[in-house]
Amino acid sequence: ACGEFAMRRRASLLAIVVASLLATASAQPKRDKPSGGGPGGGGAGDKPSKPNKPGAPPAEGKPPSRPGSGGSPAVGGKLAFDSATGKLKGTWAGATIPSYRAPMAAPLLGTVGYGTDSTLIYGPFEAGFGSGPRVTSASDARPPYPCKDGSTYSGYCPGGMDVKTCEETLFKTCASGTVRTELFMDECGGHANPYHYHMDPVCLYKPDDPGHSGVVGVMLDGRPLYGRHESTGTAPADLDPCGGHTGTVPAYDLWGIPEGAKIYHYHARTKPPFLLGCYGDETTSSLQHCQRLYQSGTRKCGDNAGVAMSESVEIEYDLWCPCYDSDGKQADGFFEYADDDKGGVVAAPAPPRPPGLPDGYDTWEEYKEEQDRKAEYAKRDAEKKREAEEKKKKEAEEKKKEAE
């Protein structure tokens, strides 16, 4: 009997110990599974991260690590360098790379590539600002007015004009101190919501670093985009109108680009088209080659004409033609060529309209921007109404006290 009692007691104690261990294990916090892909990697479906704060230095005032020199960009996907083609292949920021061939026209509005931080890269153009060279308004609208003097909105830039020419011209056509500079590029070369780059993304690399600038992005044709220098403090002198040339580049381990690889690649510029004029290769060596790519639809090169910017200011500009020479200037006219002399380049078809997009918009980004703007206006109006009601109520209370 004693032996049986001892066995029961040991079994009971064992059960208590097991229960205690199970309870302790269940109380431990669960560890999240790693996302995979290593630093800057991750799956193709990973949500691209936004810059720390568009227009502001990275967290804690630290300068951004130079892409290509050991820094890890935000999670964007997985790209691999193909030594046979000199292109990157895979996914980045949810996009398939490459998704355009070259030579080919790039989208005139919207995404043409992605930064190493997964931020969108756009071409040189906006859809426009204001409603006309002589139009003023008591309220903002779509597209936004680029100038504001007191309660009066004004200013105009047509769609298809590069952002730098637009902003510089507004300082001539609008009253001093009225240009809404917040609509234009910040110190990182981008703006708007969703945030995107139009100009040299200097927050993604260090322009003062010695040697060839590091990688700052990848274009949709699979070619990498580098900062603006070919060697220490010196921009490349042989960029074609697409913004690219063939030369040796520094290593970028994350994407498998080896040190000294000789490939066709793009460079950022301080002049139009800034980041991309077209998807190029070794054949896109002249303005004529670039212009030939933009000959479909109503937005095409060769329509150079006077553009009224105000009642007194008119400039010569070929709207919707992203082809510029090394000085950031457009051609005086369109180069005529025979039908059988196309130079092997192909005009890109007009992009299909996104399904379900309301009329009056070219992209879902434009639609979202206007909805956000309307919501902001509604919020401001509600705040003003609330303040007016509180002021009226306070005045009524003061009058009542005086009457008493």
PDB file of all heavy atoms in Angstrom, residues 127-136 143-147 153-161 165-167 169-171 173-174 184 307-311 313 315 319-320:
ATOM      1  N   ALA A 127       1.555  67.341 -64.349  1.00  0.00           N
ATOM      2  CA  ALA A 127       0.338  67.467 -65.156  1.00  0.00           C
ATOM      3  C   ALA A 127      -0.066  68.918 -65.345  1.00  0.00           C
ATOM      4  O   ALA A 127      -0.953  69.225 -66.148  1.00  0.00           O
ATOM      5  CB  ALA A 127      -0.805  66.694 -64.504  1.00  0.00           C
ATOM      6  N   GLY A 128       0.567  69.838 -64.612  1.00  0.00           N
ATOM      7  CA  GLY A 128       0.281  71.256 -64.759  1.00  0.00           C
ATOM      8  C   GLY A 128      -0.127  71.894 -63.448  1.00  0.00           C
ATOM      9  O   GLY A 128      -0.455  71.209 -62.471  1.00  0.00           O
ATOM     10  N   PHE A 129      -0.100  73.224 -63.420  1.00  0.00           N
ATOM     11  CA  PHE A 129      -0.514  73.999 -62.251  1.00  0.00           C
ATOM     12  C   PHE A 129      -1.381  75.158 -62.719  1.00  0.00           C
ATOM     13  O   PHE A 129      -1.099  75.793 -63.734  1.00  0.00           O
ATOM     14  CB  PHE A 129       0.702  74.553 -61.497  1.00  0.00           C
ATOM     15  CG  PHE A 129       1.574  73.504 -60.865  1.00  0.00           C
ATOM     16  CD1 PHE A 129       2.680  73.004 -61.523  1.00  0.00           C
ATOM     17  CD2 PHE A 129       1.274  73.009 -59.602  1.00  0.00           C
ATOM     18  CE1 PHE A 129       3.482  72.040 -60.940  1.00  0.00           C
ATOM     19  CE2 PHE A 129       2.073  72.039 -59.010  1.00  0.00           C
ATOM     20  CZ  PHE A 129       3.175  71.555 -59.681  1.00  0.00           C
ATOM     21  N   GLY A 130      -2.447  75.440 -61.968  1.00  0.00           N
ATOM     22  CA  GLY A 130      -3.327  76.543 -62.324  1.00  0.00           C
ATOM     23  C   GLY A 130      -4.254  76.207 -63.470  1.00  0.00           C
ATOM     24  O   GLY A 130      -4.190  75.119 -64.062  1.00  0.00           O
ATOM     25  N   SER A 131      -5.121  77.164 -63.798  1.00  0.00           N
ATOM     26  CA  SER A 131      -6.146  76.932 -64.821  1.00  0.00           C
ATOM     27  C   SER A 131      -5.936  77.725 -66.095  1.00  0.00           C
ATOM     28  O   SER A 131      -6.666  77.555 -67.054  1.00  0.00           O
ATOM     29  CB  SER A 131      -7.528  77.273 -64.251  1.00  0.00           C
ATOM     30  OG  SER A 131      -7.816  76.470 -63.124  1.00  0.00           O
ATOM     31  N   GLY A 132      -4.945  78.594 -66.112  1.00  0.00           N
ATOM     32  CA  GLY A 132      -4.691  79.378 -67.311  1.00  0.00           C
ATOM     33  C   GLY A 132      -3.814  80.563 -66.976  1.00  0.00           C
ATOM     34  O   GLY A 132      -3.690  80.967 -65.820  1.00  0.00           O
ATOM     35  N   PRO A 133      -3.171  81.166 -68.010  1.00  0.00           N
ATOM     36  CA  PRO A 133      -2.227  82.264 -67.755  1.00  0.00           C
ATOM     37  C   PRO A 133      -2.863  83.537 -67.209  1.00  0.00           C
ATOM     38  O   PRO A 133      -2.162  84.384 -66.673  1.00  0.00           O
ATOM     39  CB  PRO A 133      -1.594  82.495 -69.130  1.00  0.00           C
ATOM     40  CG  PRO A 133      -2.582  81.963 -70.115  1.00  0.00           C
ATOM     41  CD  PRO A 133      -3.243  80.810 -69.433  1.00  0.00           C
ATOM     42  N   ARG A 134      -4.173  83.664 -67.304  1.00  0.00           N
ATOM     43  CA  ARG A 134      -4.837  84.893 -66.842  1.00  0.00           C
ATOM     44  C   ARG A 134      -5.919  84.615 -65.802  1.00  0.00           C
ATOM     45  O   ARG A 134      -6.721  85.488 -65.484  1.00  0.00           O
ATOM     46  CB  ARG A 134      -5.446  85.625 -68.037  1.00  0.00           C
ATOM     47  CG  ARG A 134      -4.412  86.037 -69.080  1.00  0.00           C
ATOM     48  CD  ARG A 134      -5.072  86.560 -70.349  1.00  0.00           C
ATOM     49  NE  ARG A 134      -4.073  86.919 -71.340  1.00  0.00           N
ATOM     50  CZ  ARG A 134      -3.486  86.061 -72.168  1.00  0.00           C
ATOM     51  NH1 ARG A 134      -3.825  84.783 -72.113  1.00  0.00           N
ATOM     52  NH2 ARG A 134      -2.573  86.468 -73.029  1.00  0.00           N
ATOM     53  N   VAL A 135      -5.936  83.413 -65.256  1.00  0.00           N
ATOM     54  CA  VAL A 135      -7.008  83.013 -64.349  1.00  0.00           C
ATOM     55  C   VAL A 135      -6.588  83.215 -62.898  1.00  0.00           C
ATOM     56  O   VAL A 135      -5.471  82.871 -62.509  1.00  0.00           O
ATOM     57  CB  VAL A 135      -7.393  81.534 -64.576  1.00  0.00           C
ATOM     58  CG1 VAL A 135      -8.483  81.108 -63.599  1.00  0.00           C
ATOM     59  CG2 VAL A 135      -7.851  81.332 -66.012  1.00  0.00           C
ATOM     60  N   THR A 136      -7.499  83.791 -62.107  1.00  0.00           N
ATOM     61  CA  THR A 136      -7.310  83.886 -60.659  1.00  0.00           C
ATOM     62  C   THR A 136      -8.522  83.250 -59.980  1.00  0.00           C
ATOM     63  O   THR A 136      -9.569  83.062 -60.608  1.00  0.00           O
ATOM     64  CB  THR A 136      -7.152  85.340 -60.190  1.00  0.00           C
ATOM     65  OG1 THR A 136      -8.349  86.068 -60.521  1.00  0.00           O
ATOM     66  CG2 THR A 136      -5.955  85.999 -60.848  1.00  0.00           C
ATOM     67  N   PRO A 143      -5.910  71.372 -61.287  1.00  0.00           N
ATOM     68  CA  PRO A 143      -4.670  71.245 -60.516  1.00  0.00           C
ATOM     69  C   PRO A 143      -4.459  72.458 -59.625  1.00  0.00           C
ATOM     70  O   PRO A 143      -5.061  73.502 -59.858  1.00  0.00           O
ATOM     71  CB  PRO A 143      -3.604  71.152 -61.609  1.00  0.00           C
ATOM     72  CG  PRO A 143      -4.183  71.870 -62.770  1.00  0.00           C
ATOM     73  CD  PRO A 143      -5.644  71.596 -62.721  1.00  0.00           C
ATOM     74  N   PRO A 144      -3.616  72.348 -58.587  1.00  0.00           N
ATOM     75  CA  PRO A 144      -3.464  73.452 -57.642  1.00  0.00           C
ATOM     76  C   PRO A 144      -2.876  74.693 -58.301  1.00  0.00           C
ATOM     77  O   PRO A 144      -2.084  74.604 -59.242  1.00  0.00           O
ATOM     78  CB  PRO A 144      -2.517  72.882 -56.591  1.00  0.00           C
ATOM     79  CG  PRO A 144      -1.768  71.811 -57.295  1.00  0.00           C
ATOM     80  CD  PRO A 144      -2.747  71.209 -58.253  1.00  0.00           C
ATOM     81  N   TYR A 145      -3.276  75.848 -57.810  1.00  0.00           N
ATOM     82  CA  TYR A 145      -2.669  77.092 -58.271  1.00  0.00           C
ATOM     83  C   TYR A 145      -1.292  77.226 -57.622  1.00  0.00           C
ATOM     84  O   TYR A 145      -1.142  77.012 -56.415  1.00  0.00           O
ATOM     85  CB  TYR A 145      -3.540  78.287 -57.898  1.00  0.00           C
ATOM     86  CG  TYR A 145      -4.772  78.425 -58.751  1.00  0.00           C
ATOM     87  CD1 TYR A 145      -5.981  77.859 -58.359  1.00  0.00           C
ATOM     88  CD2 TYR A 145      -4.733  79.123 -59.956  1.00  0.00           C
ATOM     89  CE1 TYR A 145      -7.122  77.976 -59.148  1.00  0.00           C
ATOM     90  CE2 TYR A 145      -5.860  79.249 -60.753  1.00  0.00           C
ATOM     91  CZ  TYR A 145      -7.052  78.683 -60.340  1.00  0.00           C
ATOM     92  OH  TYR A 145      -8.176  78.801 -61.128  1.00  0.00           O
ATOM     93  N   PRO A 146      -0.272  77.627 -58.388  1.00  0.00           N
ATOM     94  CA  PRO A 146       1.084  77.659 -57.843  1.00  0.00           C
ATOM     95  C   PRO A 146       1.448  78.944 -57.098  1.00  0.00           C
ATOM     96  O   PRO A 146       2.539  79.030 -56.551  1.00  0.00           O
ATOM     97  CB  PRO A 146       1.960  77.497 -59.096  1.00  0.00           C
ATOM     98  CG  PRO A 146       1.155  78.139 -60.184  1.00  0.00           C
ATOM     99  CD  PRO A 146      -0.279  77.840 -59.855  1.00  0.00           C
ATOM    100  N   CYS A 147       0.551  79.937 -57.090  1.00  0.00           N
ATOM    101  CA  CYS A 147       0.838  81.195 -56.409  1.00  0.00           C
ATOM    102  C   CYS A 147      -0.362  81.602 -55.555  1.00  0.00           C
ATOM    103  O   CYS A 147      -1.516  81.305 -55.894  1.00  0.00           O
ATOM    104  CB  CYS A 147       1.146  82.310 -57.409  1.00  0.00           C
ATOM    105  SG  CYS A 147       2.523  81.922 -58.526  1.00  0.00           S
ATOM    106  N   TYR A 153      -5.675  83.111 -55.399  1.00  0.00           N
ATOM    107  CA  TYR A 153      -4.820  82.116 -56.026  1.00  0.00           C
ATOM    108  C   TYR A 153      -4.621  82.464 -57.499  1.00  0.00           C
ATOM    109  O   TYR A 153      -5.544  82.941 -58.169  1.00  0.00           O
ATOM    110  CB  TYR A 153      -5.449  80.725 -55.927  1.00  0.00           C
ATOM    111  CG  TYR A 153      -5.530  80.172 -54.521  1.00  0.00           C
ATOM    112  CD1 TYR A 153      -6.621  80.444 -53.707  1.00  0.00           C
ATOM    113  CD2 TYR A 153      -4.502  79.386 -54.013  1.00  0.00           C
ATOM    114  CE1 TYR A 153      -6.696  79.933 -52.418  1.00  0.00           C
ATOM    115  CE2 TYR A 153      -4.560  78.869 -52.730  1.00  0.00           C
ATOM    116  CZ  TYR A 153      -5.658  79.150 -51.932  1.00  0.00           C
ATOM    117  OH  TYR A 153      -5.725  78.654 -50.655  1.00  0.00           O
ATOM    118  N   SER A 154      -3.412  82.208 -58.002  1.00  0.00           N
ATOM    119  CA  SER A 154      -3.118  82.508 -59.407  1.00  0.00           C
ATOM    120  C   SER A 154      -1.908  81.692 -59.846  1.00  0.00           C
ATOM    121  O   SER A 154      -1.436  80.815 -59.141  1.00  0.00           O
ATOM    122  CB  SER A 154      -2.845  84.008 -59.587  1.00  0.00           C
ATOM    123  OG  SER A 154      -1.683  84.385 -58.855  1.00  0.00           O
ATOM    124  N   GLY A 155      -1.383  82.043 -61.021  1.00  0.00           N
ATOM    125  CA  GLY A 155      -0.210  81.364 -61.553  1.00  0.00           C
ATOM    126  C   GLY A 155      -0.578  80.223 -62.486  1.00  0.00           C
ATOM    127  O   GLY A 155      -1.658  79.635 -62.378  1.00  0.00           O
ATOM    128  N   TYR A 156       0.338  79.925 -63.392  1.00  0.00           N
ATOM    129  CA  TYR A 156       0.033  78.896 -64.383  1.00  0.00           C
ATOM    130  C   TYR A 156       1.301  78.268 -64.939  1.00  0.00           C
ATOM    131  O   TYR A 156       2.277  78.955 -65.245  1.00  0.00           O
ATOM    132  CB  TYR A 156      -0.757  79.512 -65.533  1.00  0.00           C
ATOM    133  CG  TYR A 156      -1.012  78.576 -66.691  1.00  0.00           C
ATOM    134  CD1 TYR A 156      -1.839  77.455 -66.535  1.00  0.00           C
ATOM    135  CD2 TYR A 156      -0.432  78.795 -67.936  1.00  0.00           C
ATOM    136  CE1 TYR A 156      -2.086  76.592 -67.596  1.00  0.00           C
ATOM    137  CE2 TYR A 156      -0.673  77.942 -69.004  1.00  0.00           C
ATOM    138  CZ  TYR A 156      -1.496  76.839 -68.827  1.00  0.00           C
ATOM    139  OH  TYR A 156      -1.742  75.986 -69.878  1.00  0.00           O
ATOM    140  N   CYS A 157       1.295  76.961 -65.041  1.00  0.00           N
ATOM    141  CA  CYS A 157       2.271  76.183 -65.797  1.00  0.00           C
ATOM    142  C   CYS A 157       1.501  75.088 -66.515  1.00  0.00           C
ATOM    143  O   CYS A 157       0.751  74.343 -65.873  1.00  0.00           O
ATOM    144  CB  CYS A 157       3.309  75.536 -64.887  1.00  0.00           C
ATOM    145  SG  CYS A 157       4.549  76.650 -64.212  1.00  0.00           S
ATOM    146  N   PRO A 158       1.661  74.966 -67.821  1.00  0.00           N
ATOM    147  CA  PRO A 158       0.937  73.911 -68.542  1.00  0.00           C
ATOM    148  C   PRO A 158       1.521  72.544 -68.255  1.00  0.00           C
ATOM    149  O   PRO A 158       2.691  72.413 -67.862  1.00  0.00           O
ATOM    150  CB  PRO A 158       1.143  74.301 -70.012  1.00  0.00           C
ATOM    151  CG  PRO A 158       2.471  75.001 -70.020  1.00  0.00           C
ATOM    152  CD  PRO A 158       2.530  75.749 -68.716  1.00  0.00           C
ATOM    153  N   GLY A 159       0.736  71.504 -68.421  1.00  0.00           N
ATOM    154  CA  GLY A 159       1.246  70.153 -68.311  1.00  0.00           C
ATOM    155  C   GLY A 159       2.286  69.900 -69.384  1.00  0.00           C
ATOM    156  O   GLY A 159       2.198  70.444 -70.488  1.00  0.00           O
ATOM    157  N   GLY A 160       3.285  69.083 -69.046  1.00  0.00           N
ATOM    158  CA  GLY A 160       4.317  68.776 -70.032  1.00  0.00           C
ATOM    159  C   GLY A 160       5.488  69.726 -70.017  1.00  0.00           C
ATOM    160  O   GLY A 160       6.332  69.690 -70.913  1.00  0.00           O
ATOM    161  N   MET A 161       5.578  70.576 -68.980  1.00  0.00           N
ATOM    162  CA  MET A 161       6.735  71.456 -68.811  1.00  0.00           C
ATOM    163  C   MET A 161       7.539  70.947 -67.627  1.00  0.00           C
ATOM    164  O   MET A 161       6.971  70.569 -66.599  1.00  0.00           O
ATOM    165  CB  MET A 161       6.279  72.898 -68.564  1.00  0.00           C
ATOM    166  CG  MET A 161       7.407  73.888 -68.304  1.00  0.00           C
ATOM    167  SD  MET A 161       6.805  75.609 -68.181  1.00  0.00           S
ATOM    168  CE  MET A 161       6.429  75.926 -69.909  1.00  0.00           C
ATOM    169  N   THR A 165      11.808  74.559 -65.014  1.00  0.00           N
ATOM    170  CA  THR A 165      11.408  75.687 -65.864  1.00  0.00           C
ATOM    171  C   THR A 165      10.116  76.300 -65.355  1.00  0.00           C
ATOM    172  O   THR A 165       9.963  77.523 -65.314  1.00  0.00           O
ATOM    173  CB  THR A 165      11.239  75.231 -67.322  1.00  0.00           C
ATOM    174  OG1 THR A 165      12.491  74.755 -67.814  1.00  0.00           O
ATOM    175  CG2 THR A 165      10.748  76.365 -68.206  1.00  0.00           C
ATOM    176  N   CYS A 166       9.194  75.447 -64.935  1.00  0.00           N
ATOM    177  CA  CYS A 166       7.921  75.919 -64.398  1.00  0.00           C
ATOM    178  C   CYS A 166       8.153  76.815 -63.185  1.00  0.00           C
ATOM    179  O   CYS A 166       7.681  77.959 -63.143  1.00  0.00           O
ATOM    180  CB  CYS A 166       7.039  74.729 -64.016  1.00  0.00           C
ATOM    181  SG  CYS A 166       5.564  75.159 -63.064  1.00  0.00           S
ATOM    182  N   GLU A 167       8.899  76.333 -62.212  1.00  0.00           N
ATOM    183  CA  GLU A 167       9.098  77.090 -60.982  1.00  0.00           C
ATOM    184  C   GLU A 167       9.864  78.385 -61.241  1.00  0.00           C
ATOM    185  O   GLU A 167       9.509  79.447 -60.720  1.00  0.00           O
ATOM    186  CB  GLU A 167       9.839  76.240 -59.954  1.00  0.00           C
ATOM    187  CG  GLU A 167       9.966  76.922 -58.596  1.00  0.00           C
ATOM    188  CD  GLU A 167      10.567  76.023 -57.535  1.00  0.00           C
ATOM    189  OE1 GLU A 167      11.145  74.981 -57.891  1.00  0.00           O
ATOM    190  OE2 GLU A 167      10.449  76.372 -56.349  1.00  0.00           O
ATOM    191  N   THR A 169       9.968  80.148 -63.957  1.00  0.00           N
ATOM    192  CA  THR A 169       9.121  81.104 -64.673  1.00  0.00           C
ATOM    193  C   THR A 169       8.099  81.743 -63.747  1.00  0.00           C
ATOM    194  O   THR A 169       7.762  82.923 -63.895  1.00  0.00           O
ATOM    195  CB  THR A 169       8.415  80.411 -65.849  1.00  0.00           C
ATOM    196  OG1 THR A 169       9.385  79.782 -66.693  1.00  0.00           O
ATOM    197  CG2 THR A 169       7.629  81.423 -66.692  1.00  0.00           C
ATOM    198  N   LEU A 170       7.603  80.989 -62.762  1.00  0.00           N
ATOM    199  CA  LEU A 170       6.615  81.538 -61.827  1.00  0.00           C
ATOM    200  C   LEU A 170       7.184  82.698 -61.016  1.00  0.00           C
ATOM    201  O   LEU A 170       6.447  83.620 -60.640  1.00  0.00           O
ATOM    202  CB  LEU A 170       6.122  80.443 -60.883  1.00  0.00           C
ATOM    203  CG  LEU A 170       5.213  79.385 -61.511  1.00  0.00           C
ATOM    204  CD1 LEU A 170       4.981  78.241 -60.544  1.00  0.00           C
ATOM    205  CD2 LEU A 170       3.885  80.001 -61.939  1.00  0.00           C
ATOM    206  N   PHE A 171       8.487  82.673 -60.765  1.00  0.00           N
ATOM    207  CA  PHE A 171       9.089  83.786 -60.032  1.00  0.00           C
ATOM    208  C   PHE A 171       9.103  85.063 -60.877  1.00  0.00           C
ATOM    209  O   PHE A 171       9.324  86.154 -60.349  1.00  0.00           O
ATOM    210  CB  PHE A 171      10.510  83.419 -59.591  1.00  0.00           C
ATOM    211  CG  PHE A 171      10.544  82.508 -58.401  1.00  0.00           C
ATOM    212  CD1 PHE A 171      10.833  81.163 -58.541  1.00  0.00           C
ATOM    213  CD2 PHE A 171      10.257  82.989 -57.135  1.00  0.00           C
ATOM    214  CE1 PHE A 171      10.863  80.321 -57.446  1.00  0.00           C
ATOM    215  CE2 PHE A 171      10.274  82.144 -56.026  1.00  0.00           C
ATOM    216  CZ  PHE A 171      10.575  80.813 -56.182  1.00  0.00           C
ATOM    217  N   THR A 173       6.384  85.553 -63.233  1.00  0.00           N
ATOM    218  CA  THR A 173       4.993  85.860 -63.551  1.00  0.00           C
ATOM    219  C   THR A 173       4.125  86.148 -62.329  1.00  0.00           C
ATOM    220  O   THR A 173       3.067  86.767 -62.454  1.00  0.00           O
ATOM    221  CB  THR A 173       4.353  84.695 -64.332  1.00  0.00           C
ATOM    222  OG1 THR A 173       4.392  83.510 -63.520  1.00  0.00           O
ATOM    223  CG2 THR A 173       5.102  84.434 -65.629  1.00  0.00           C
ATOM    224  N   CYS A 174       4.553  85.716 -61.157  1.00  0.00           N
ATOM    225  CA  CYS A 174       3.775  85.938 -59.936  1.00  0.00           C
ATOM    226  C   CYS A 174       4.424  87.040 -59.091  1.00  0.00           C
ATOM    227  O   CYS A 174       5.625  87.287 -59.191  1.00  0.00           O
ATOM    228  CB  CYS A 174       3.680  84.653 -59.112  1.00  0.00           C
ATOM    229  SG  CYS A 174       2.723  83.345 -59.912  1.00  0.00           S
ATOM    230  N   PHE A 184       6.687  72.447 -54.939  1.00  0.00           N
ATOM    231  CA  PHE A 184       7.785  72.030 -55.802  1.00  0.00           C
ATOM    232  C   PHE A 184       8.801  71.178 -55.041  1.00  0.00           C
ATOM    233  O   PHE A 184       8.499  70.651 -53.983  1.00  0.00           O
ATOM    234  CB  PHE A 184       8.402  73.263 -56.462  1.00  0.00           C
ATOM    235  CG  PHE A 184       7.435  73.944 -57.398  1.00  0.00           C
ATOM    236  CD1 PHE A 184       6.606  74.956 -56.944  1.00  0.00           C
ATOM    237  CD2 PHE A 184       7.311  73.530 -58.717  1.00  0.00           C
ATOM    238  CE1 PHE A 184       5.681  75.561 -57.789  1.00  0.00           C
ATOM    239  CE2 PHE A 184       6.394  74.116 -59.572  1.00  0.00           C
ATOM    240  CZ  PHE A 184       5.579  75.141 -59.107  1.00  0.00           C
ATOM    241  N   VAL A 307       4.532  79.451 -75.525  1.00  0.00           N
ATOM    242  CA  VAL A 307       3.628  79.052 -74.451  1.00  0.00           C
ATOM    243  C   VAL A 307       3.384  80.259 -73.562  1.00  0.00           C
ATOM    244  O   VAL A 307       4.324  80.798 -72.957  1.00  0.00           O
ATOM    245  CB  VAL A 307       4.214  77.897 -73.619  1.00  0.00           C
ATOM    246  CG1 VAL A 307       3.267  77.529 -72.482  1.00  0.00           C
ATOM    247  CG2 VAL A 307       4.482  76.689 -74.503  1.00  0.00           C
ATOM    248  N   ALA A 308       2.129  80.720 -73.502  1.00  0.00           N
ATOM    249  CA  ALA A 308       1.786  81.863 -72.662  1.00  0.00           C
ATOM    250  C   ALA A 308       1.783  81.437 -71.204  1.00  0.00           C
ATOM    251  O   ALA A 308       1.057  80.527 -70.809  1.00  0.00           O
ATOM    252  CB  ALA A 308       0.425  82.416 -73.069  1.00  0.00           C
ATOM    253  N   MET A 309       2.590  82.107 -70.391  1.00  0.00           N
ATOM    254  CA  MET A 309       2.674  81.808 -68.970  1.00  0.00           C
ATOM    255  C   MET A 309       1.920  82.844 -68.134  1.00  0.00           C
ATOM    256  O   MET A 309       1.559  82.581 -66.994  1.00  0.00           O
ATOM    257  CB  MET A 309       4.143  81.761 -68.540  1.00  0.00           C
ATOM    258  CG  MET A 309       4.985  80.760 -69.319  1.00  0.00           C
ATOM    259  SD  MET A 309       4.506  79.046 -69.024  1.00  0.00           S
ATOM    260  CE  MET A 309       5.123  78.806 -67.367  1.00  0.00           C
ATOM    261  N   SER A 310       1.720  84.025 -68.707  1.00  0.00           N
ATOM    262  CA  SER A 310       0.946  85.094 -68.079  1.00  0.00           C
ATOM    263  C   SER A 310       0.563  86.075 -69.179  1.00  0.00           C
ATOM    264  O   SER A 310       0.814  85.813 -70.365  1.00  0.00           O
ATOM    265  CB  SER A 310       1.761  85.793 -66.984  1.00  0.00           C
ATOM    266  OG  SER A 310       2.813  86.553 -67.557  1.00  0.00           O
ATOM    267  N   GLU A 311      -0.025  87.193 -68.804  1.00  0.00           N
ATOM    268  CA  GLU A 311      -0.411  88.184 -69.812  1.00  0.00           C
ATOM    269  C   GLU A 311       0.797  88.770 -70.522  1.00  0.00           C
ATOM    270  O   GLU A 311       0.711  89.186 -71.667  1.00  0.00           O
ATOM    271  CB  GLU A 311      -1.227  89.306 -69.158  1.00  0.00           C
ATOM    272  CG  GLU A 311      -2.610  88.882 -68.703  1.00  0.00           C
ATOM    273  CD  GLU A 311      -3.425  90.053 -68.218  1.00  0.00           C
ATOM    274  OE1 GLU A 311      -2.917  91.194 -68.292  1.00  0.00           O
ATOM    275  OE2 GLU A 311      -4.574  89.846 -67.784  1.00  0.00           O
ATOM    276  N   VAL A 313       4.227  87.309 -70.222  1.00  0.00           N
ATOM    277  CA  VAL A 313       5.371  86.406 -70.371  1.00  0.00           C
ATOM    278  C   VAL A 313       4.999  85.219 -71.254  1.00  0.00           C
ATOM    279  O   VAL A 313       4.006  84.530 -71.011  1.00  0.00           O
ATOM    280  CB  VAL A 313       5.857  85.890 -68.996  1.00  0.00           C
ATOM    281  CG1 VAL A 313       6.981  84.877 -69.181  1.00  0.00           C
ATOM    282  CG2 VAL A 313       6.336  87.048 -68.131  1.00  0.00           C
ATOM    283  N   ILE A 315       7.102  81.904 -73.369  1.00  0.00           N
ATOM    284  CA  ILE A 315       8.384  81.232 -73.597  1.00  0.00           C
ATOM    285  C   ILE A 315       8.231  80.191 -74.697  1.00  0.00           C
ATOM    286  O   ILE A 315       7.131  79.692 -74.954  1.00  0.00           O
ATOM    287  CB  ILE A 315       8.914  80.562 -72.311  1.00  0.00           C
ATOM    288  CG1 ILE A 315       7.972  79.444 -71.862  1.00  0.00           C
ATOM    289  CG2 ILE A 315       9.119  81.584 -71.204  1.00  0.00           C
ATOM    290  CD1 ILE A 315       8.515  78.639 -70.672  1.00  0.00           C
ATOM    291  N   LEU A 319       6.223  71.300 -75.367  1.00  0.00           N
ATOM    292  CA  LEU A 319       5.549  70.593 -74.285  1.00  0.00           C
ATOM    293  C   LEU A 319       5.494  69.092 -74.553  1.00  0.00           C
ATOM    294  O   LEU A 319       5.321  68.652 -75.682  1.00  0.00           O
ATOM    295  CB  LEU A 319       4.133  71.137 -74.108  1.00  0.00           C
ATOM    296  CG  LEU A 319       4.010  72.612 -73.706  1.00  0.00           C
ATOM    297  CD1 LEU A 319       2.540  73.041 -73.686  1.00  0.00           C
ATOM    298  CD2 LEU A 319       4.644  72.863 -72.341  1.00  0.00           C
ATOM    299  N   TRP A 320       5.621  68.315 -73.492  1.00  0.00           N
ATOM    300  CA  TRP A 320       5.546  66.860 -73.518  1.00  0.00           C
ATOM    301  C   TRP A 320       6.659  66.210 -74.330  1.00  0.00           C
ATOM    302  O   TRP A 320       6.532  65.075 -74.780  1.00  0.00           O
ATOM    303  CB  TRP A 320       4.190  66.384 -74.038  1.00  0.00           C
ATOM    304  CG  TRP A 320       3.036  66.879 -73.234  1.00  0.00           C
ATOM    305  CD1 TRP A 320       2.083  67.780 -73.622  1.00  0.00           C
ATOM    306  CD2 TRP A 320       2.693  66.501 -71.891  1.00  0.00           C
ATOM    307  NE1 TRP A 320       1.182  68.008 -72.599  1.00  0.00           N
ATOM    308  CE2 TRP A 320       1.532  67.231 -71.526  1.00  0.00           C
ATOM    309  CE3 TRP A 320       3.261  65.622 -70.968  1.00  0.00           C
ATOM    310  CZ2 TRP A 320       0.935  67.103 -70.284  1.00  0.00           C
ATOM    311  CZ3 TRP A 320       2.675  65.495 -69.722  1.00  0.00           C
ATOM    312  CH2 TRP A 320       1.524  66.232 -69.395  1.00  0.00           C
TER     313      TRP A 320
END
